């Protein structure tokens, strides 16, 4: 009996041990340390860490216009990014589940931007916006291409949204395709025989049946756009004049450019709370709309 | 009559989709054609096919960005991390499903909760820990961090999958004299292959493309991964497009080739991973 207990303990240690050790070391402990540091004035260099209570948080709420403007940017970006990538992703998926000859090649192409990391994507698009667009502008005469794409706040914002759509909609397309191909052909045929229009089928039959995929896609796109960092860093660096600085970039700059690690962790903790609240609300709302097939 | 309208509709859809595909591919076209032009030609006309292919741009960028080194570094860290993440997560998830204790249930809850925590929230303390352990500026430090940060999702996905694996085969193997460890490695692990592929693919893409964590942990130029090498190269040669563009093509080429070969697994893996997630 005792031997059996020890063998259970040994197995627990052997199987669960390694993952738990690394997880504790790199997630649990840092998270707790972060809570502590957010109440200090730690600058990352000196060993002298002074407890400052709620000063960091007070500072963020009363005295940090940059943080709130980065927050506002992130909110606007998330809203547009989420809506547009889901629309494009769904649109692509909807048509690529039809019997098209080039279906597989098209799927491959639409997903391709997603395998490239955000950092390199940003640099690639920097060139497209600076040289590619101006050349297209000269060729076509369209003023759309002649805008100062990375040069001012409004177009800079749209530039990031555009690249984000290009990057992410292929991923959402894959999820929507998986879900759409599970919608039973019989039901669709029955609706067609009953004389339902394409739009009616989409709205009343397909949409409810693919709600689980909508939940997942909204969750993914919200967390991607809220946490956007690499693309932001390489495409605009938050400029011009911090107008396109995301929260993630703001935290990074606070810690590593201004050497305010304490303030940085305080912002990071707020960031976590906001991300958690938004995603929980979203999952709850969309889950409640899911139906049993 | 009806089928005729249907096929016409299909042809129209096909044409529209192909046009959209060309728009999707346009950035790659711009990137590639300009990477083999001279600097003057890039400035005068960024849209045309190159008059002369100057591959020398590539050779120069390759050397200046120290690409061979970066490629080896990226490959090493990605392969080792992905293998270890998959292994220790599969082991943990297996035990957590089969020994459904209170402790394991709380642990699973922690793993799931950790998936919501953005990396920015913990990155500063993670750096501190890496420094305290004395593994900053080393691949080992990066590896440890990747293991800790990536096991939650892998465990979550494995956990869901293992629940659907029948227990009977394991019991038969135990009767035949296997111990719990051999049962796992000989019987269970091979059964996990579909989910294993998903986790390998998702982690490989994520780690290969990661910029932030390596940039915080690795300082020596000879340890740079491809995103780090590209970043520093781009900083140095801003607006020198004849060098920057070949570097970008070199940076994306390995992952594009990987994607084209592994396409089926990547797409299936993502579909499977997201439905479970």
């Amino acid at each position: 009996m005792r031997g059996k207990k020890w063998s259970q303990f040994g197995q627990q240690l052997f199987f669960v041990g390694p993952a738990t050790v690394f997880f504790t070391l790199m997630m649990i402990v840092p998270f707790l340390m972060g809570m502590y540091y957010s109440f200090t004035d730690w600058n990352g260099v000196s060993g002298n860490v002074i407890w400052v209570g709620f000063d960091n948080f007070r500072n963020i709420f009363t005295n940090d216009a940059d943080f709130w403007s980065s927050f506002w940017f992130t909110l606007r970006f998330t809203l547009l990014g989420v809506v547009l990538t889901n629309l494009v992703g769904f649109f692509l998926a909807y048509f690529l589940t039809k019997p098209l000859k080039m279906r597989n090649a098209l799927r491959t192409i639409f997903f391709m931007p997603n395998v490239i990391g955000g950092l390199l994507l940003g640099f690639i698009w920097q060139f497209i916006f600076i040289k590619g667009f101006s050349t297209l502008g000269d060729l076509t005469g369209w003023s759309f291409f002649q805008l100062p794409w990375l040069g001012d706040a409004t177009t800079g914002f749209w530039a990031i949204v555009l690249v984000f759509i290009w990057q992410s909609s292929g991923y959402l397309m894959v999820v929507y395709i998986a879900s759409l191909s599970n919608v039973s052909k019989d039901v669709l045929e029955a609706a067609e025989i009953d004389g339902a229009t394409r739009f009616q089928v989409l709205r009343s039959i397909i949409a409810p049946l693919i709600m689980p995929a909508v939940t997942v896609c909204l969750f993914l796109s919200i967390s991607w756009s809220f946490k956007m960092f690499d693309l932001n860093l390489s495409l605009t660096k938050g400029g011009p004049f911090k107008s396109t600085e995301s929260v993630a970039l703001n935290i990074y700059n606070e810690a590593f450019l201004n050497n305010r690690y304490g303030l940085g962790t305080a912002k990071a903790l707020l960031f976590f709370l906001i991300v958690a609240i938004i995603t929980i609300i979203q999952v709850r709302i969309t889950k409640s709309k899911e139906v049993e097939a | 009559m009806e089928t005729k309208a249907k096929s016409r509709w299909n042809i129209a859809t096909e044409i529209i989709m192909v046009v959209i595909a060309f728009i999707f591919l346009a950035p790659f076209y711009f990137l590639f054609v300009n990477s083999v032009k001279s600097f003057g030609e890039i400035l005068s006309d960024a849209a045309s096919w190159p008059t002369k292919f100057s591959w020398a741009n590539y050779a120069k960028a390759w050397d200046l960005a120290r690409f061979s080194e970066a490629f080896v570094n990226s490959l090493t860290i990605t392969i080792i991390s992905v293998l270890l993440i998959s292994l220790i997560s599969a082991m943990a998830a297996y035990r957590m499903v089969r020994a459904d204790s209170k402790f394991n249930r709380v642990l699973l809850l922690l793993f799931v909760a950790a998936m919501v925590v953005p990396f920015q929230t913990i990155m500063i303390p993670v750096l501190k820990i890496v420094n305290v352990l004395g593994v900053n500026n080393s691949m080992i430090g990066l590896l440890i961090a990747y293991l800790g940060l990536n096991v939650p999702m892998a465990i979550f996905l494995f956990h869901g999958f293992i629940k659907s694996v029948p227990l009977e085969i394991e019991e038969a193997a135990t009767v035949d004299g296997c111990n719990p460890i051999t049962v796992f490695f000989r019987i269970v692990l091979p059964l996990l292959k579909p989910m294993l592929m998903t986790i390998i693919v998702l982690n490989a893409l994520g780690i290969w493309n990661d910029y932030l964590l390596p940039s915080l942990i690795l300082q020596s130029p000879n340890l740079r991964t491809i995103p780090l090498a590209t970043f520093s190269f781009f900083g140095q040669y801003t607006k020198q497009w004849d060098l920057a563009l070949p570097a970008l093509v070199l940076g994306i080429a390995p992952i594009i080739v990987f994607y084209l070969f592994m396409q089926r697994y990547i797409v299936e893996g993502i579909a499977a991973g997201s439905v479970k997630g």
Side-chain angles (χ1 to χ4, degrees):
Chain A
M1 193 60 212
R2 222 189 133 116
K4 199 173 172 201
K5 212 167 182 182
W6 272 108
S7 137
Q8 282 298 322
F9 181 71
Q11 281 181 52
Q12 177 79 16
L13 213 62
F14 175 81
F15 282 107
V16 187
T20 313
V21 168
F22 290 114
F23 172 69
T24 310
L25 201 62
M26 290 295 155
M27 297 229 42
I28 308 268
V29 176
F31 191 78
L32 298 174
M33 280 166 77
M35 285 184 165
Y36 166 70
Y37 281 132
S38 62
F39 292 102
T40 69
D41 72 342
W42 186 37
N43 64 8
V45 190
S46 97
N48 202 1
V49 180
I50 295 168
W51 181 268
V52 295
F54 282 95
D55 277 9
N56 288 328
F57 294 96
R58 209 168 294 138
N59 241 320
I60 296 167
F61 279 104
T62 56
N63 198 13
D64 197 336
D66 282 350
F67 180 75
W68 296 109
S69 78
S70 75
F71 191 75
W72 176 230
F73 166 81
T74 306
L75 271 185
R76 281 182 300 148
F77 170 74
T78 302
L79 194 69
L80 271 164
V82 168
V83 171
L84 293 174
T85 41
N86 277 281
L87 283 178
V88 175
F90 178 79
F91 171 86
L92 296 176
Y94 180 74
F95 289 107
L96 290 183
T97 41
K98 304 263 179 238
L100 303 182
K101 284 192 195 67
M102 297 186 54
R103 203 160 80 164
N104 290 332
L106 289 167
R107 288 181 184 183
T108 305
I109 290 169
F110 292 131
F111 185 76
M112 193 145 69
N114 208 278
V115 299
I116 305 169
L119 188 92
L120 274 78
L121 275 186
F123 285 139
I124 294 172
W125 275 90
Q126 211 183 87
F127 176 73
I128 309 288
F129 282 125
I130 293 173
K131 282 309 301 173
F133 271 28
S134 70
T135 310
L136 288 176
D138 293 343
L139 288 176
T140 59
W142 292 353
S143 55
F144 173 83
F145 289 120
Q146 287 156 335
L147 296 169
W149 275 95
L150 300 176
D152 81 41
T154 317
T155 48
F157 173 79
W158 284 101
I160 300 179
V161 173
L162 188 67
V163 181
F164 183 75
I165 297 170
W166 184 74
Q167 175 189 25
S168 323
S169 47
Y171 195 109
L172 303 185
M173 170 195 79
V174 168
V175 181
Y176 282 126
I177 285 178
S179 180
L180 280 170
S181 32
N182 282 334
V183 174
S184 125
K185 295 269 173 307
D186 298 345
V187 179
L188 297 179
E189 254 166 48
E192 204 179 330
I193 291 167
D194 290 346
T197 63
R198 265 179 239 282
F199 183 73
Q200 280 172 329
V201 172
L202 190 62
R203 218 189 87 122
S204 312
I205 298 174
I206 296 179
L209 286 176
I210 62 159
M211 269 325 265
V214 176
T215 305
V216 171
C217 285
L218 284 179
F219 174 81
L220 287 172
S221 50
I222 290 176
S223 62
W224 291 335
S225 37
F226 224 88
K227 295 187 238 175
M228 181 205 37
F229 176 82
D230 290 18
L231 182 62
N232 201 196
L233 180 72
S234 58
L235 188 61
T236 65
K237 268 201 172 122
F241 308 110
K242 295 195 171 186
S243 60
T244 62
E245 187 179 71
S246 67
V247 177
L249 187 59
N250 180 278
I251 294 170
Y252 175 87
N253 288 339
E254 194 69 81
F256 302 117
L257 289 187
N258 305 339
N259 279 323
R260 288 196 283 253
Y261 282 47
L263 189 57
T265 44
K267 288 182 175 186
L269 219 58
L270 277 179
F271 183 48
F272 160 70
L273 284 177
I274 295 162
V275 172
I277 291 169
I278 292 179
T279 46
I280 289 168
I281 293 176
Q282 174 263 315
V283 171
R284 286 231 156 162
I285 293 177
T286 42
K287 276 255 178 213
S288 72
K289 296 221 189 320
E290 287 178 16
V291 292
E292 291 289 323
Chain B
M1 182 65 196
E2 180 135 353
T3 44
K4 216 171 178 182
K6 213 168 192 178
S7 82
R8 210 179 292 153
W9 170 268
N10 276 340
I11 292 170
T13 314
E14 184 126 24
I15 292 171
I16 294 170
M17 294 314 270
V18 169
V19 171
I20 300 175
F22 274 109
I23 298 172
F24 255 73
L25 287 176
F28 292 110
Y29 169 81
F30 275 99
L31 176 65
F32 178 72
V33 297
N34 288 299
S35 72
V36 288
K37 288 179 189 171
S38 67
F39 188 64
E41 203 183 339
I42 297 173
L43 290 190
S44 62
D45 188 353
S48 65
W49 194 250
T51 48
K52 187 176 133 277
F53 283 72
S54 38
W55 296 105
N57 294 356
Y58 276 82
K60 220 169 152 191
W62 180 277
D63 289 335
L64 286 171
R66 300 172 68 168
F67 244 97
S68 352
E69 233 172 15
F71 182 74
V72 173
N73 290 337
S74 276
L75 207 59
T76 315
I77 191 68
T78 307
I79 291 176
I80 297 177
S81 317
V82 167
L83 289 181
L84 288 177
I85 289 165
S86 320
L87 183 67
I88 66 175
S89 307
M91 285 165 61
Y94 168 67
R95 171 76 192 173
M96 289 161 79
V97 172
R98 293 294 182 240
D100 191 20
S101 64
K102 203 169 204 175
F103 177 83
N104 282 339
R105 260 180 255 165
V106 173
L107 199 59
L108 181 69
L109 204 68
L110 280 176
F111 283 124
V112 173
M115 286 162 56
V116 196
V117 178
F119 176 64
Q120 272 79 13
T121 301
I122 51 168
M123 74 179 167
I124 297 166
V126 161
L127 271 192
K128 171 87 180 171
I129 290 176
V130 167
N131 279 322
V132 169
L133 294 176
V135 286
N136 58 322
N137 198 20
S138 86
M139 284 290 177
I140 301 285
L142 191 57
L143 175 67
I144 295 175
Y146 277 141
L147 289 181
L149 296 168
N150 290 310
V151 291
M153 191 181 78
I155 287 180
F156 175 69
L157 291 175
F158 273 130
H159 197 274
F161 188 80
I162 293 171
K163 272 197 280 190
S164 64
V165 175
L167 193 61
E168 285 79 15
I169 318 171
E170 289 168 48
E171 284 166 348
T174 314
V175 172
D176 289 346
C178 280
N179 66 39
I181 292 173
T182 47
V183 167
F184 174 76
F185 283 100
R186 294 227 188 113
I187 315 284
V188 179
L189 204 54
L191 291 175
L192 301 185
K193 203 190 149 205
M195 191 39 82
L196 203 58
M197 286 307 288
T198 301
I199 284 159
I200 288 176
V201 158
L202 290 177
N203 281 297
L205 290 177
I207 292 174
W208 179 274
N209 286 327
D210 189 24
Y211 166 76
L212 184 52
L213 187 62
S215 81
L216 297 174
I217 292 183
L218 308 172
Q219 287 93 37
S220 313
N222 61 339
L223 290 179
R224 274 179 198 150
T225 58
I226 287 184
L228 291 187
T230 314
F231 186 81
S232 98
F233 187 76
F234 216 85
Q236 237 172 316
Y237 297 94
T238 318
K239 309 283 150 40
Q240 264 184 268
W241 300 115
D242 55 332
L243 289 176
L245 297 179
L248 287 176
V249 176
L250 291 169
I252 65 172
I255 197 78
I256 298 273
V257 171
F258 175 77
Y259 167 60
L260 293 177
F261 276 103
M262 298 283 291
Q263 217 204 107
R264 215 196 80 199
Y265 295 102
I266 292 178
V267 169
E268 278 174 12
I270 279 167
S274 56
V275 172
K276 292 263 156 51

